[in-house]
Amino acid sequence: MKYSDEIIQRVKDSTDIVSVVGEYVSLKKAGNSYKGLCPFHSEKSPSFNVSASRNGFHCFGCGKGGNVITFIMEMEKMPFPEALRLLADKANIALPKQEESTRDLAAEKVRDRMQAINEFAGKFFYERLLSQDGQACRDYFKGRGFTKEDAVKYQIGFAPDGWEALKIQGQKAGFTPSELLSAGLIVHNEEKNKDYDKFRNRLMFPVKDNYGRIIAFGGRTLSDEAGPKYLNSPETLLFKKSECLYLLDMAREAIRQKGYVLVVEGYFDALALHHFGLENAVATLGTALTSQHGRLLKRYTTEVVFSYDADMAGQAAVLRGFEPLVQAGLNIRVLVMPDVKDPDEYLQKHSKEEFEAMVEKAPGFFRWWAQSLKKKFQGSPVEERMRALQGFVPMILQIPDEVLVQAACSAIESELGLDNRDLLTIVNTERKKGVRPTAAARVEAPETSADTAASSKPVFAANDLQIEADFLALLTEENGEFVPWAVNELSPEVFLVENFRQLFEELSAGDIKPEQLNQVPELAPSFIRIENQSEKKHREAMLNDLAMALKKRYIKRQLADLKYRQAEAEKAGDVQQALLLAQQMVMLKRQHSQEVESK
């Protein structure tokens, strides 16, 4: 929605930019302005200035500047309307209602109802925890080392051991069974044609979005005979596992202050860290880390410290999480805890200070990985250790920063006792073959040249850029008529270039209109190219071909990843995992073949 210049100016005038920026940056008075270290680039001497009189900011180091709205857009990675709404809420200014279609209003009404259901369920579970029926659950929570204050602060609840307790109370509160079903709080038994509560006899964890609104639940069983140990809400209109992290709403400020985020695997690990004052911790929700998680964390920090379980499954999860995080521009370290399984267990035996001291010494991702292989190659001939280097190459190629590439190579070689630059030579050789990072890295310019290719910073192939740029440019044609088809055909993950993928995500969500792409400088050469495609049928054919090329390229990347993981599984002697990955490759190839034939 477009807001008038008058309302935008009113929000700016009603907002103290020094207070807003001060939530993110430590500022000191300097004459008529305030100074601090720039949040947009690394610096040792403060060159970031905030002026209350001009209601603006400027960094003399990196050149970033703007007003309070653009500052929030940059820090929170928000589009303009969302940043404006956030500041308007802070200033208690009511923005004019957006003119919406009947369909949009209906969708918003459904979302509002689902939000109300989740808030009702959170209150229901919490009240049951405090009831007589919740005594066993309270005892269990206390036995895990937590207090009543923790239960209140994190809205811990209890799902009673009955089939319809929530359903009955929900209906009394005015919610229909179909609404409760859509929210994932009840399930339908086809055989008995009956609805019943999804969560029963479980300790309940409310999952919230970044603004503290309950969007889902996780439940830990209180009986070993009652199904899976942990049960999560299904995905709904409000809840997407790939876009959500447990306790991020409460961890954001601590993450900014500490300069890093602790990523753990489970609810109790995250709660334990918060309980002991380590409030920069978040947990994944039964799913692998995704590129959406990476972009979400990048809003608040540049460094992730994994603190997963010490077993093989935990190590495998760290390896899977590497790609989406490194491609979001995050530095990754891995915490290794001696003689304990997870952070929860460690903190029951040791102090917060001891834990933080371990975090400080946590090695970078590649040093950790090399250390985990060190015993295997100890005493092996140099030739065998050299061959081991090949296994690191596919992941090193995903690092977008040349300095980090060199650091990774150096760490691996030193851990494996190979004090030379052989690994960097192998990596550079693979680059010359055309191997590129498998997902987004920042692209400084839309075109490549001989000078760029020879520079230290890895870039995408020119053809990669052209395919994606041409595809996006074509979506502006026919008044955006092609957009619904494109959104149905492709997912944002097929785009390698960060800003192109973000544009496609915003188009998919309806956050921007197709014609707004005309203002994107990187697409200018593509608009010139497609001007020659005067007839609609030619543009449709071109769009189809580009979509197929994007899909084919994406599948090749997936197959390469599966092949690499299969080789690692075989090396580790995990036959079952290797077979599973081989089956996945066969299915992916078959799926691609069928799709090509259908076209």
Side-chain angles (χ1 to χ4, degrees):
M1 173 182 180
K2 287 188 176 180
Y3 293 100
S4 67
D5 292 341
E6 181 183 354
I7 193 68
I8 293 171
Q9 192 59 48
R10 187 180 164 203
V11 172
K12 289 181 186 176
D13 293 342
S14 302
T15 303
D16 177 8
I17 189 171
V18 176
S19 295
V20 171
V21 175
E23 294 178 12
Y24 302 85
V25 180
S26 179
L27 297 174
K28 291 184 179 179
K29 194 89 164 68
N32 295 323
S33 62
Y34 292 80
K35 294 186 76 173
L37 295 174
C38 181
F40 305 116
H41 80 287
S42 297
E43 61 177 11
K44 294 181 180 179
S45 300
S47 57
F48 182 78
N49 284 254
V50 180
S51 170
S53 59
R54 291 186 294 104
N55 205 12
F57 71 92
H58 180 78
C59 177
F60 292 96
C62 67
K64 284 268 189 188
N67 56 49
V68 68
I69 300 175
T70 53
F71 179 81
I72 289 295
M73 288 171 67
E74 285 284 348
M75 291 302 297
E76 296 290 348
K77 300 297 184 285
M78 284 181 173
F80 180 86
E82 196 173 332
L84 184 69
R85 284 196 293 271
L86 186 149
L87 291 171
D89 287 343
K90 281 178 176 284
N92 292 317
I93 295 174
L95 295 178
K97 292 289 185 182
Q98 183 175 357
E99 293 182 10
E100 297 177 292
S101 67
T102 304
R103 182 178 176 184
D104 290 337
L105 288 170
E108 192 61 32
K109 186 177 179 181
V110 171
R111 292 176 67 87
D112 288 344
R113 284 290 284 179
M114 190 174 290
Q115 188 65 65
I117 291 170
N118 285 331
E119 298 298 337
F120 155 78
K123 184 180 179 184
F124 171 85
F125 291 136
Y126 178 68
E127 289 175 347
R128 292 306 177 278
L129 179 70
L130 301 182
S131 71
Q132 186 176 348
D133 291 342
Q135 184 62 54
C137 190
R138 292 198 301 274
D139 291 343
Y140 174 77
F141 191 62
K142 184 178 179 181
R144 293 292 298 253
F146 298 101
T147 64
K148 182 179 179 180
E149 288 72 24
D150 290 323
V152 173
K153 183 176 181 179
Y154 302 105
Q155 291 180 262
I156 302 301
F158 168 59
D161 190 13
W163 292 96
E164 296 182 312
L166 176 64
K167 176 191 168 187
I168 290 170
Q169 290 302 313
Q171 287 180 284
K172 285 182 180 179
F175 301 114
T176 67
S178 63
E179 287 178 321
L180 293 166
L181 191 68
S182 296
L185 289 165
I186 65 174
V187 292
H188 182 71
N189 187 312
E190 291 284 352
E191 190 176 326
K192 296 181 179 179
N193 193 28
K194 191 173 182 179
D195 300 324
Y196 58 90
D197 292 353
K198 180 179 179 67
F199 299 101
R200 302 183 304 281
N201 195 31
R202 289 178 180 270
L203 184 141
M204 299 298 294
F205 305 89
V207 178
K208 301 180 181 181
D209 65 13
N210 283 6
Y211 306 103
R213 298 172 298 200
I214 298 175
I215 56 175
F217 295 91
R220 204 283 184 194
T221 183
L222 297 175
S223 168
D224 293 336
E225 299 175 0
K229 182 185 290 187
Y230 285 95
L231 189 64
N232 292 317
S233 293
E235 295 205 340
T236 66
L237 280 173
L238 302 179
F239 176 52
K240 300 288 184 290
K241 290 181 184 179
S242 63
E243 300 171 4
C244 186
L245 292 163
Y246 181 57
L247 291 187
L248 181 59
D249 61 303
M250 304 187 80
R252 294 186 302 168
E253 291 310 312
I255 292 169
R256 286 195 181 104
Q257 291 170 15
K258 290 278 189 180
Y260 66 91
V261 58
L262 281 162
V263 177
V264 297
E265 287 187 277
Y267 296 106
F268 272 121
D269 281 342
L271 276 179
L273 288 165
H274 278 245
H275 172 79
F276 284 97
L278 298 154
E279 296 185 336
N280 56 327
V282 300
T284 51
L285 296 166
T287 185
L289 284 161
T290 65
S291 56
Q292 291 97 319
H293 288 140
R295 289 194 293 276
L296 186 61
L297 291 173
K298 188 67 187 296
R299 294 182 185 180
Y300 312 111
T301 186
T302 57
E303 185 165 77
V304 172
V305 178
F306 277 111
S307 185
Y308 279 7
D309 289 358
D311 56 16
M312 286 292 290
Q315 289 191 8
V318 172
L319 290 172
R320 287 196 300 273
F322 168 80
E323 179 179 341
L325 296 188
V326 78
Q327 289 165 358
L330 291 161
N331 182 40
I332 301 166
R333 294 191 292 132
V334 184
L335 181 60
V336 181
M337 292 174 291
D339 305 321
V340 296
K341 181 188 174 189
D342 52 39
D344 186 9
E345 184 181 341
Y346 184 89
L347 288 166
Q348 300 301 329
K349 301 176 181 178
H350 303 274
S351 68
K352 168 191 172 184
E353 290 71 25
E354 288 175 298
F355 187 89
E356 288 184 311
M358 276 202 310
V359 172
E360 288 295 318
K361 297 175 183 176
F365 173 83
F366 283 101
R367 186 171 292 279
W368 162 80
W369 191 12
Q371 285 174 351
S372 68
L373 295 175
K374 194 172 183 178
K375 288 182 181 178
K376 180 178 178 181
F377 291 100
Q378 202 163 20
S380 299
V382 172
E383 295 78 10
E384 192 171 329
R385 281 179 280 157
M386 284 289 296
R387 283 197 296 273
L389 295 180
Q390 290 286 352
F392 293 96
V393 173
M395 298 186 88
I396 294 174
L397 286 167
Q398 296 168 32
I399 304 175
D401 188 287
E402 177 63 21
V403 174
L404 295 178
V405 168
Q406 293 183 13
C409 291
S410 176
I412 292 165
E413 288 178 328
S414 66
E415 288 296 333
L416 294 181
L418 298 167
D419 191 17
N420 49 48
R421 296 175 63 84
D422 288 326
L423 182 53
L424 187 59
T425 302
I426 295 170
V427 169
N428 288 332
T429 301
E430 290 300 314
R431 280 184 183 149
K432 290 175 182 177
K433 292 178 182 176
V435 178
R436 304 289 176 185
T438 61
R442 288 284 177 187
V443 179
E444 299 297 326
E447 296 179 344
T448 55
S449 65
D451 291 338
T452 307
S455 72
S456 62
K457 187 169 185 176
V459 295
F460 294 104
N463 194 44
D464 285 334
L465 294 170
Q466 184 175 317
I467 289 172
E468 295 181 15
D470 287 357
F471 186 86
L472 287 173
L474 278 163
L475 296 185
T476 65
E477 298 292 291
E478 302 300 320
N479 296 316
E481 181 181 318
F482 298 144
V483 171
W485 174 85
V487 170
N488 185 58
E489 282 287 306
L490 300 176
S491 73
E493 301 302 320
V494 305
F495 290 85
L496 297 179
V497 184
E498 176 79 21
N499 54 327
F500 288 174
R501 184 171 64 232
Q502 288 179 350
L503 287 170
F504 191 74
E505 286 178 339
E506 290 169 0
L507 275 176
S508 303
D511 293 334
I512 61 172
K513 295 180 179 179
E515 57 265 31
Q516 289 176 263
L517 296 178
N518 289 298
Q519 308 305 316
V520 179
E522 290 90 347
L523 301 183
S526 296
F527 286 119
I528 295 171
R529 276 193 292 273
I530 65 176
E531 278 179 358
N532 297 325
Q533 306 297 330
S534 56
E535 292 186 29
K536 181 180 177 181
K537 65 179 182 180
H538 292 152
R539 293 194 293 274
E540 284 180 331
M542 185 178 178
L543 196 67
N544 233 319
D545 291 341
L546 290 171
M548 183 59 71
L550 288 169
K551 285 182 183 179
K552 186 176 180 181
R553 186 184 66 182
Y554 180 58
I555 287 172
K556 283 179 70 176
R557 287 160 49 212
Q558 286 182 302
L559 285 170
D561 179 58
L562 286 170
K563 188 174 181 181
Y564 167 71
R565 288 165 56 195
Q566 182 193 25
E568 285 297 303
E570 289 174 348
K571 194 185 298 181
D574 191 345
V575 178
Q576 187 175 357
Q577 178 69 0
L579 287 172
L580 179 63
L581 291 167
Q583 289 172 353
Q584 290 177 11
M585 281 191 281
V586 171
M587 289 173 64
L588 189 60
K589 289 176 182 177
R590 186 180 301 147
Q591 175 190 336
H592 179 53
S593 298
Q594 290 171 349
E595 187 166 297
V596 171
E597 289 172 4
S598 68
K599 297 292 182 183

